[in-house]
Amino acid sequence: MQAKHRESLRKHRLELCRGMDNHSKSVVTQLVDRKIMTNTDEQIIIREVSSVKQNEKILDTLTKRGPKAFQTFIEILNDMGLNQLTALLLGDNENQTVNDTLDGRPAPDEKQKTTDSSSTSPVDKLAKLDDDIDTVDMPPHEQEDGRFGGIGGKKKTDVPSKMETVETPMDICFNPEDCYSMKRLPRGRFLLINNKDFLPESGMAPYTRNGTDVDAQCMKELFEELGFDVEYHRNITVYEIRKAFKKMATLDYSQYSAFACCVLSHGQEGILYGTDGTVDIKELTAFFRGKNLAGKPKMFFFQACQGSEYMDGVERDSSMEDETDGPPEYGNEISLPTEADFLYAYSTVPGYYSWRNSVKGSWFIQAIVEVFRKYAHKMDVVRMLTRVNQIVSTKKSQTGQRPSHHKRQISSVITQLRKEIYLFPPHGPLKELKADY
């Protein structure tokens, strides 16, 4: 399959999964009949528990097939009367008529609501979601084209001329040999990417991520107070995302203790959206395997969907009670695995939507800000992210629509750290912020 066809399938993944609802078995049967897929493929696909999952598996399998796969898929969709989906794939913008009841997204000319409420209409309900790779607007500090603008203050990308150190609080008991050395100040570099508005070629232009500027402002202020130099980018393309990641990965970190990054955008499993298309997360994080960051922690925070499934809740056993709410490295000759010292924190687990309030910000980012401000002076990062999981898990969506009302979310932390990370604030405990979301 040609790269442009794979990109088209990826760009319209959500629309296809929803539009083929209740047609998945017919689609895969015809793909088998036309020799695009095998009987084994069919058995694997129909084993999936929902039609959305079946359709996702169809698309994943389709991208690995030969040059005739895309055209055959188009013919099958046309034969089944799903012409609105073929129009999307072929770029026929004049004939795009995706049914809102299938898609769930607001139409381009629909006025989006600004709060999560019980009166949310069907076309507005997914405006609060971060899907495939967000209304308080930013102050006008960005450049005229809206790119590479800062929320405030100048960017700090050069090696600082004067370094300070941060002392460990006397009341914290831990073994320094089990912790990353985080005494330098500035402590590290922090890359913040905030994509709110999208270009037509991304397929996401109608789905403005309202509320994301609140998240960006909170994360910027948090990591500045934790001693990081922040570089902020707003509404940037895939090329510009790659450029920003590569630049940050190749800078001199000899006078820094860590690197951290936060991306706020639409997404799907394993991918993020620039304003004009998608990029693989693995491609971006791979830039940071160089020697300049060897032995130093690299933290990534992703607020984006990882699929198109709603997450339901499960009731606990009624018998259960409710619960209330370092030192220098061991020398320069050490050899470490290339994947060591990475931490990935995702707003949701693979396959599921990630929720965001269009005024107050996302559940995940606001929980991070609340927890880090409360505990950074006495708790390591992994423990704090466990507290974040707890907060996120208590939330329920408020859309008033049966398919999406009272849905849940749980964030996901993947750690390849060798030691504990303490981000002791340089000037003492931070001002606590109780998130109102």
Side-chain angles (χ1 to χ4, degrees):
M1 181 177 290
Q2 296 182 35
K4 65 179 182 180
H5 292 155
R6 285 196 298 271
E7 177 62 22
S8 182
L9 291 173
R10 173 183 286 183
K11 182 169 70 172
H12 299 296
R13 183 182 180 92
L14 183 64
E15 290 93 338
L16 291 168
C17 288
R18 292 296 179 85
M20 293 192 301
D21 192 29
N22 299 322
H23 296 284
S24 51
K25 292 183 180 179
S26 298
V27 171
V28 72
T29 297
Q30 292 194 48
L31 287 169
V32 172
D33 291 343
R34 301 191 192 197
K35 310 300 182 185
I36 300 300
M37 292 187 184
T38 66
N39 291 324
T40 301
D41 293 331
E42 182 178 21
Q43 293 173 7
I44 292 173
I45 290 169
I46 64 177
R47 266 195 230 121
E48 295 291 339
V49 296
S50 69
S51 61
V52 172
K53 283 291 185 182
Q54 290 171 354
N55 290 331
E56 287 185 337
K57 185 69 74 174
I58 289 172
L59 297 178
D60 291 339
T61 306
L62 199 63
T63 58
K64 302 172 185 177
R65 294 300 180 259
K68 296 181 179 180
F70 185 79
Q71 184 58 39
T72 302
F73 183 55
I74 292 291
E75 293 171 359
I76 291 172
L77 294 179
N78 277 332
D79 291 344
M80 300 179 68
L82 301 176
N83 306 90
Q84 74 274 24
L85 298 182
T86 61
L88 286 175
L89 294 174
L90 297 176
D92 186 359
N93 295 324
E94 293 182 357
N95 292 327
Q96 289 185 14
T97 57
V98 179
N99 191 324
D100 288 325
T101 60
L102 296 175
D103 189 318
R105 298 163 179 260
D109 58 348
E110 289 287 339
K111 182 179 180 181
Q112 295 185 6
K113 294 188 181 296
T114 58
T115 57
D116 287 335
S117 69
S118 59
S119 61
T120 305
S121 67
V123 296
D124 284 322
K125 60 183 178 180
L126 290 186
K128 306 174 187 66
L129 292 174
D130 291 321
D131 320 294
D132 291 59
I133 154 98
D134 208 327
T135 310
V136 180
D137 289 330
M138 297 296 301
H141 294 296
E142 62 268 17
Q143 298 177 4
E144 289 182 2
D145 63 356
R147 297 174 182 174
F148 294 94
I151 298 178
K154 63 181 180 179
K155 301 174 190 174
K156 301 177 182 179
T157 56
D158 298 328
V159 177
S161 57
K162 182 180 179 181
M163 300 299 297
E164 302 177 22
T165 59
V166 180
E167 296 299 325
T168 302
M170 296 299 293
D171 59 341
I172 302 298
C173 298
F174 64 94
N175 185 352
E177 293 185 356
D178 294 331
C179 305
Y180 290 100
S181 176
M182 301 292 286
K183 291 186 177 182
R184 294 187 183 276
L185 193 65
R187 172 167 283 137
R189 302 184 193 271
F190 181 74
L191 175 62
L192 175 60
I193 294 176
N194 174 29
N195 282 345
K196 176 180 180 179
D197 304 300
F198 297 83
L199 299 172
E201 54 264 40
S202 71
M204 307 299 287
Y207 318 126
T208 302
R209 300 183 60 251
N210 296 309
T212 189
D213 292 334
V214 178
D215 286 344
Q217 181 71 21
C218 289
M219 288 295 279
K220 177 182 182 292
E221 292 176 352
L222 171 65
F223 275 83
E224 283 178 339
E225 293 181 52
L226 289 173
F228 283 77
D229 285 341
V230 176
E231 180 169 316
Y232 175 73
H233 300 269
R234 187 175 188 270
N235 289 340
I236 60 176
T237 64
V238 169
Y239 170 78
E240 290 164 337
I241 290 175
R242 289 192 179 105
K243 183 178 178 181
F245 268 79
K246 187 172 183 179
K247 171 191 171 185
M248 294 296 285
T250 54
L251 291 173
D252 181 6
Y253 283 84
S254 61
Q255 300 300 313
Y256 289 96
S257 298
F259 169 78
C261 170
C262 179
V263 180
L264 313 169
S265 189
H266 287 304
Q268 274 286 350
E269 186 170 347
I271 65 174
L272 297 169
Y273 268 79
T275 57
D276 62 342
T278 60
V279 61
D280 289 339
I281 292 175
K282 286 184 178 180
E283 177 187 349
L284 299 176
T285 58
F287 288 130
F288 294 88
R289 296 173 183 163
K291 293 181 179 180
N292 60 333
L293 274 163
K296 298 182 179 183
K298 298 159 278 281
M299 298 171 281
F300 297 86
F301 304 89
F302 299 110
Q303 168 59 39
C305 283
Q306 289 206 66
S308 51
E309 284 285 294
Y310 292 115
M311 184 180 296
D312 292 308
V314 59
E315 296 298 327
R316 292 185 300 174
D317 191 307
S318 59
S319 63
M320 298 178 63
E321 295 182 358
D322 288 334
E323 298 178 3
T324 58
D325 280 338
E329 301 293 344
Y330 291 109
N332 296 327
E333 302 301 321
I334 188 170
S335 176
L336 297 171
T338 58
E339 298 292 343
D341 308 305
F342 281 83
L343 179 142
Y344 307 93
Y346 296 88
S347 59
T348 189
V349 295
Y352 289 94
Y353 281 123
S354 181
W355 289 92
R356 164 180 37 83
N357 184 281
S358 59
V359 170
K360 302 172 184 177
S362 64
W363 297 356
F364 177 60
I365 296 298
Q366 292 304 310
I368 287 178
V369 173
E370 178 182 338
V371 171
F372 278 45
R373 284 189 168 278
K374 186 174 182 179
Y375 295 110
H377 63 287
K378 60 182 179 181
M379 191 177 290
D380 71 276
V381 169
V382 173
R383 287 182 66 198
M384 287 193 291
L385 288 173
T386 303
R387 300 289 179 100
V388 170
N389 280 358
Q390 165 63 14
I391 291 175
V392 172
S393 71
T394 65
K395 304 301 175 186
K396 291 183 181 181
S397 61
Q398 302 293 326
T399 68
Q401 304 301 318
R402 180 170 297 180
S404 59
H405 193 60
H406 278 190
K407 297 303 178 181
R408 312 303 288 264
Q409 182 179 325
I410 184 68
S411 43
S412 173
V413 180
I414 300 173
T415 174
Q416 286 132 225
L417 300 175
R418 297 175 297 114
K419 302 179 180 182
E420 296 172 355
I421 305 176
Y422 285 87
L423 301 176
F424 298 126
H427 307 295
L430 301 179
K431 180 181 178 181
E432 292 186 22
L433 175 66
K434 180 65 176 178
D436 179 23
Y437 54 92

